[in-house]
Amino acid sequence: MSAISVGQAVVLGLVEGVTEFLPVSSTGHLKITEGLMGIPVDDKSVVGFSAVIQVGAIAAVLVYFFKDIVRIVSAWFRGLTNREERVHHDYKFAWWVIYATIPIVLVGLAAKPLIDGPLGSLWVVAGSLIVGSGVMWAADQMGRHKRGEDDTSFKDAMLVGTSQILALLFPGFSRSGATMSTALILDLDRVAATRLSFFLGIPALTGAGLYELKDALGAGVGAAPLAAGTVVSFVVAYASIAWLLKFVAKHSFNAFVLYRIVVGVLLFGLLAAGVLDS
């Protein structure tokens, strides 16, 4: 019997699609939802399932930004064989995304036992939601929002890419929240910060999903729940991306900050009351 039913997979796919790119922590929301449905959050197959359905959300990014990705990848290939093409920002940006992914890959492999174990506790999620909210609010206030996407540099990409480690080690902090906050501190405007977060998440999340696929299938999650969760994640994530880009063009991140605090406090209460098992 599968550790996760098709119905549960659909619900988790919906949660993943809505929250993956919003700065509210998809991992945290998945763990909370799993806890409410009685699914063990530290089960190896469940951890693998959560990583695999992220691929659906990443596929939504690939489709939504297809023209941008083709332009960047094409510039990269042209630059590999033509020195004159290497002065273009797209060629450099492609390399920056690759370099900026290395830190999270190394930490992810080295700290996997901790990430899958004690750091996956819902107590950690609750604390990270609240602490991450403070970081996000401070970043939005500190940032001068004066730099656009074309103004990004290698330093920006490395700092923003490395900040993904915070979400990896402290589920609840939010990968999107960490990357967007770092980009805002570096004075990128909100749209540029959001788009940079999307592009830097593509290799990291895709790699994590493919790496965990064997554990999800081999440890007790059937192919049908995996497929259902991934498809739902894709559809909902696409809509979420379109909405978020329009939202950040005209609004601050304060709504997300308040939401995260409320969820974090509520989660602490549920854990303390014994309603949820950490």
Side-chain angles (χ1 to χ4, degrees):
M1 182 178 294
S2 174
I4 297 176
S5 70
V6 173
Q8 290 172 328
V10 169
V11 173
L12 292 174
L14 176 63
V15 172
E16 165 64 23
V18 170
T19 61
E20 179 58 56
F21 300 111
L22 302 186
V24 297
S25 176
S26 62
T27 302
H29 279 74
L30 283 173
K31 287 182 177 294
I32 293 170
T33 305
E34 289 162 359
L36 290 173
M37 292 194 297
I39 300 172
V41 299
D42 58 347
D43 184 277
K44 188 176 182 180
S45 64
V46 175
V47 173
F49 172 86
S50 298
V52 171
I53 63 173
Q54 285 179 337
V55 176
I58 289 299
V61 173
L62 295 176
V63 173
Y64 192 90
F65 293 107
F66 181 74
K67 291 182 179 179
D68 294 300
I69 293 171
V70 169
R71 188 190 73 245
I72 293 168
V73 173
S74 298
W76 184 69
F77 276 112
R78 288 197 304 271
L80 291 178
T81 58
N82 187 340
R83 184 181 298 273
E84 294 180 357
E85 295 288 339
R86 297 173 190 174
V87 299
H88 296 301
H89 184 270
D90 286 339
Y91 170 78
K92 297 176 182 177
F93 185 77
W95 276 116
W96 297 346
V97 171
I98 294 171
Y99 293 145
T101 303
I102 294 174
I104 191 174
V105 171
L106 295 178
V107 173
L109 293 174
K112 193 173 188 303
L114 289 174
I115 296 167
D116 292 347
L119 290 178
S121 166
L122 287 178
W123 289 105
V124 175
V125 171
S128 299
L129 277 167
I130 295 174
V131 172
S133 299
V135 173
M136 187 183 302
W137 179 83
D140 208 9
Q141 300 303 309
M142 291 168 56
R144 289 177 288 178
H145 315 293
K146 67 176 185 178
R147 301 170 57 208
E149 187 174 348
D150 291 338
D151 298 320
T152 55
S153 65
F154 173 68
K155 175 184 175 182
D156 297 329
M158 288 303 298
L159 289 174
V160 174
T162 301
S163 71
Q164 296 178 108
I165 294 173
L166 286 171
L168 184 67
L169 297 179
F170 304 105
F173 201 97
S174 168
R175 190 201 64 82
S176 295
T179 52
M180 291 177 191
S181 296
T182 303
L184 290 173
I185 292 172
L186 294 170
D187 293 331
L188 270 69
D189 63 48
R190 295 187 182 98
V191 174
T194 303
R195 284 173 60 90
L196 182 58
S197 174
F198 286 149
F199 288 126
L200 287 173
I202 292 173
L205 295 178
T206 301
L210 295 177
Y211 181 81
E212 296 284 0
L213 180 60
K214 64 182 186 305
D215 289 337
L217 287 172
V221 176
L226 275 174
T230 303
V231 170
V232 172
S233 173
F234 167 80
V235 174
V236 177
Y238 189 92
S240 179
I241 292 167
W243 176 84
L244 180 61
L245 287 171
K246 292 180 181 178
F247 180 85
V248 298
K250 299 181 179 179
H251 302 85
S252 71
F253 287 100
N254 289 342
F256 298 117
V257 170
L258 291 174
Y259 172 80
R260 289 168 57 103
I261 293 173
V262 170
V263 173
V265 172
L266 179 61
L267 181 55
F268 269 130
L270 292 173
L271 289 169
V275 176
L276 284 178
D277 185 353
S278 65

